[in-house]
Every structure is written in C-alpha cells, then in structure tokens.
Amino acid sequence: MTAPGPLAARIGALTGTTVRRLTPVSGGDICDAYRADLDRPAAGHGAGRTVFAKTRPGAPADFFAAEAAGLERLGATGTVAVPGVLAAEPGLLVLTWIEPGAPTPAAAERLGRDLAAL
C-alpha cells in the first residue's frame, strides 16, 4: 500500500472525491497499475468506491486517450464487458474497478463467445 500523494491527488481531482488508499496491483502490463479506494463513489459516475488507475510517465500525450476511446467503442457494442472510463489524461487512465475473478473454463468460454460476437 502506498500513502496518498500526488497520484492520489490527481485521481481524487478527476473522480471528485478523496483517495483513502492507493495500492499497486498487477494488470498494467507496460504501465504502473493501482487500486484506488475512494471516500465515496466517483462523482457523476456511480462507479463505486474503488477505481483502477494506470500511469506511464513519459507516455505520448494521446496514449491513454486512445485506450479510453477503444474501451468506449468496445463497451458500446454491448458484446464484451469492459471497464468504464472515468478519466483519461496524459500519463493517467482511471477506470471503474472490476473485481478479479477466478480463471475458469466457463469464464474462458464466455469470453470467447463474447469476442466472437464482435
């Protein structure tokens, strides 16, 4: 767990609340990834009290904007479940938190069917 600092302040400003706890998590691949526990649900999003944040210092200005646009396009199809985009700015992407689940054959089959539906 990391103490709230500049990153927590940025996430808080973008979500309209205060970050209580910022914890590094896996899932960022080439980025640093965090679970941010908020004081209250993200403003205007009904997203819950936990969000996922990815950072990448030195990323191109449109790096996270492109990812956010892709997620929004995938989500708009209604075929594949994707996290909601709460904020995207240079160096930071904030998404709704999806609780990790166990990798099961049924989950893999469901994902395969959803991807085929695209």
Side-chain angles (χ1 to χ4, degrees):
M1 177 173 61
T2 61
L7 177 58
R10 280 178 70 195
I11 296 167
L14 292 168
T15 58
T17 187
T18 302
V19 175
R20 289 184 296 116
R21 181 176 35 235
L22 192 59
T23 308
V25 296
S26 63
D29 294 322
I30 62 171
C31 302
D32 295 325
Y34 300 90
R35 173 188 173 128
D37 296 310
L38 309 175
D39 276 342
R40 62 183 184 279
H45 298 286
R49 295 179 61 155
T50 302
V51 298
F52 178 79
K54 289 172 47 171
T55 65
R56 185 168 185 204
D62 62 347
F63 185 80
F64 286 123
E67 182 173 349
L71 286 169
E72 289 172 343
R73 288 187 72 178
L74 284 171
T77 69
T79 57
V80 178
V82 295
V85 175
L86 302 177
E89 63 177 37
L92 177 63
L93 178 65
V94 182
L95 306 171
T96 57
W97 178 261
I98 297 176
E99 199 61 42
T104 65
E109 181 177 342
R110 184 175 55 250
L111 176 61
R113 290 184 189 282
D114 289 350
L115 290 173
L118 279 172

